[in-house]
Amino acid sequence: MKIIRAKDYKDMSRKAANIVSAQIIMKPNCVLGLATGSTPIGTYAQLVEWYNKGDLDFSEVTTVNLDEYKGLSRDNEQSYYYFMKENLFSKVNINPERTFLPDGMETDSDKACSDYNRLIANLGEVDLQVLGIGHNGHIGFNEPGTSFEAETHCVDLTESTMKANQRFFESIDDVPRQAYTMGIKTIMQAKKILLLASGEDKAQIIKEAFFGPITPQVQASVLQLHNDVTIVADEAALSLI
Ligand code: F6R
């Protein structure tokens, strides 16, 4: 595991974007696994800036996102599709038909999940998977206790994740209670993993996940078993290690 120390959020975003853009330059038709949340916003903004300068070309890139809320449509401002469109897809020359997220509007969970598993299998390998990390160690929406063998599945979100996400909704009652997420097994199959973390509030979980025991109670700890993980984190997030 490689840990890249960044000064602050901006520096983390720039260093992470460097790794993503190197992937795109080395393999223009790569498959990128993407995450939403606050942490990668600056990385996407940096990629957009380099695209605008003419340094990056997304025309052959395919993306698969980790997760999507069940019950939110693509045009719902809180959906992860909307987030991706706002922060990246609409700002670069990516082919919208090559940007994939689980189908939040599919009410049949088994179908939504098996469709997404099939889609990922058909794409072949994910070359680079970008991840954030939740305060309880979740990656994607894989909450503590989930089997490391899980593929895409439907999850009941924990109270703590709903509370953390509440900031994007008018009230906690508006936060969806379920989501579709890639499982740990799927995430672990990515060739390379890039995990981003910023802020003091992530310091404790970074310590537990990467310097503690590997346990389903801390989902991100499984990444200790992956052979190509890079963590780009700022000093605050690394302050306990
Ligand atoms: C988002 C995702 C989540 C977030 C995590 C951290 O697609 O899969 O696991 O990465 O909740 O969120 P932020 O970055 O908002 O702290």
Side-chain angles (χ1 to χ4, degrees):
M1 188 183 324
K2 192 161 139 193
I3 299 183
I4 298 179
R5 182 177 288 263
K7 208 162 55 128
D8 50 23
Y9 181 80
K10 195 158 190 274
D11 190 32
M12 176 204 73
S13 303
R14 195 180 163 83
K15 286 182 159 71
N18 250 313
I19 294 172
V20 178
S21 65
Q23 175 65 63
I24 298 170
I25 290 163
M26 279 187 314
K27 187 177 175 191
N29 64 347
C30 62
V31 178
L32 297 179
L34 299 179
T36 60
S38 309
T39 316
I41 290 178
T43 305
Y44 298 146
Q46 180 66 80
L47 291 170
V48 169
E49 195 183 315
W50 287 336
Y51 165 76
N52 286 332
K53 276 194 186 154
D55 292 340
L56 271 179
D57 176 13
F58 288 80
S59 62
E60 291 180 55
V61 171
T62 298
T63 62
V64 270
N65 264 76
L66 285 168
D67 40 18
E68 178 59 283
Y69 286 117
K70 181 175 176 182
L72 297 194
S73 65
R74 290 182 152 205
D75 54 8
N76 185 310
E77 287 182 21
Q78 308 305 339
S79 75
Y80 284 174
Y81 179 84
Y82 195 92
F83 173 102
M84 290 309 304
K85 203 175 79 178
E86 285 296 293
N87 287 289
L88 186 67
F89 299 159
S90 66
K91 297 185 169 162
V92 297
N93 65 336
I94 197 162
N95 178 348
E97 284 174 14
R98 290 222 198 94
T99 59
F100 301 105
L101 287 89
D103 181 1
M105 290 310 279
E106 175 57 70
T107 51
D108 178 345
S109 301
D110 289 343
K111 181 173 183 318
C113 297
S114 58
D115 283 354
Y116 208 56
N117 282 334
R118 198 169 324 111
L119 181 132
I120 296 167
N122 288 341
L123 288 176
E125 277 174 324
V126 171
D127 292 290
L128 177 67
Q129 175 68 57
V130 177
L131 297 174
I133 182 169
H135 295 112
N136 62 7
H138 73 225
I139 47 179
F141 269 127
N142 294 287
E143 301 286 13
T146 310
S147 161
F148 285 158
E149 283 303 306
E151 297 187 275
T152 307
H153 58 286
C154 180
V155 286
D156 296 325
L157 303 183
T158 62
E159 209 60 32
S160 93
T161 298
M162 283 174 59
K163 280 208 183 101
N165 290 353
Q166 187 185 341
R167 64 192 193 276
F168 302 113
F169 294 84
E170 268 180 24
S171 82
I172 188 117
D173 295 334
D174 295 325
V175 183
R177 297 182 169 268
Q178 289 187 309
Y180 297 130
T181 183
M182 273 188 206
I184 294 295
K185 185 172 173 189
T186 326
I187 293 170
M188 288 294 279
Q189 282 164 355
K191 266 199 205 156
K192 280 174 269 172
I193 290 184
L194 171 62
L195 183 133
L196 314 180
S198 169
E200 217 181 315
D201 58 315
K202 294 288 170 74
Q204 181 61 33
I205 194 62
I206 288 288
K207 182 178 158 196
E208 278 174 40
F210 303 111
F211 296 88
I214 299 168
T215 162
Q217 290 313 315
V218 182
Q219 293 275 300
S221 65
V222 74
L223 299 175
Q224 294 181 43
L225 300 174
H226 193 284
N227 63 12
D228 195 343
V229 176
T230 302
I231 298 172
V232 181
D234 61 17
E235 280 170 10
L238 295 175
S239 57
L240 294 180
I241 59 165

